[in-house]
Amino acid sequence: FFTSIFEARYVSGVVAGLKLNQMIEDGTVKKDACKIGYVGAYTYAEVISGMTSFFLGARSVCETATMKVRYTGSWYDQGKEQEAATALIEKDKCVLISQHADSLGAPTACELAGVPNVSYNGSTYSAGKNTFIVSSAINWAPYFQYIIECAVKGQAIDSDWCGDIATNSVVLSGINEGVAAEGTEAKLKE
């Protein structure tokens, strides 16, 4: 059992692309310098599909967006994640950071550098009040409801279950309106 988290990653990429467009419009970034940094845990299928979906979402609204990825070799290492995000910002000149890693390392680096951040696995607003935009996350409630209902009814639990946006199994956190581009919420409703 798992979810189609790549769906929410794509949508959060759209949010990132809108922010890049806003940065171009306000002169913060040149059109040819819209480089996204991505902190990945491992070169693992879920990480790769997530970063690909995120990038495709960003490119769907900001055609000049590019992306650089740095891996930490760990699912959770705040120091390595912060170091990777800092390198993406300082060395690779990335102007927006996203992640598939679980600590507050990347969002902390973004807050320190004043670089917008799209996070994963829940809101990181507490680490980035001035930089956090939105987060994609897995909502396990629909799966738990499904298995409990199966148990109550004495039915077998499907061994190949995959939730998605339609089942509310993949979601976005609330948008940080103070950082998100104007019109983000309306675009998400499309």
Side-chain angles (χ1 to χ4, degrees), residues 80-152:
K80 286 182 180 179
E81 292 166 34
Q82 187 167 348
E83 183 180 299
T86 300
L88 286 162
I89 294 164
E90 294 177 359
K91 294 179 183 173
D92 300 318
K93 307 300 180 208
C94 295
V95 298
L96 186 143
I97 302 292
S98 190
Q99 69 190 65
H100 188 137
D102 293 331
S103 83
L104 295 177
T108 299
C110 290
E111 187 72 3
L112 291 171
V115 172
N117 174 255
V118 174
S119 62
Y120 173 64
N121 248 357
S123 174
T124 58
Y125 179 79
S126 64
K129 291 175 177 59
N130 301 302
T131 55
F132 168 76
I133 303 172
V134 74
S135 176
S136 56
I138 295 173
N139 174 20
W140 287 111
Y143 179 70
F144 290 129
Q145 182 176 347
Y146 164 72
I147 62 173
I148 290 168
E149 287 174 2
C150 285
V152 168

Side-chain angles (χ1 to χ4, degrees), residues 16-78:
L18 293 171
K19 182 63 177 181
L20 292 172
N21 287 339
Q22 177 194 38
M23 294 165 75
I24 292 167
E25 289 172 20
D26 69 18
T28 307
V29 178
K30 293 190 183 302
K31 192 173 185 175
D32 62 351
C34 291
K35 189 186 288 188
I36 298 165
Y38 200 93
V39 178
Y42 291 99
T43 54
Y44 177 76
E46 181 192 353
V47 176
I48 294 168
S49 71
M51 77 175 71
T52 302
S53 298
F54 179 82
F55 179 66
L56 291 172
R59 280 296 287 267
S60 75
V61 294
C62 181
E63 63 186 29
T64 61
T66 60
M67 191 165 75
K68 169 79 175 173
V69 180
R70 288 186 178 252
Y71 294 96
T72 62
S74 173
W75 290 115
Y76 186 99
D77 187 318
Q78 185 155 344

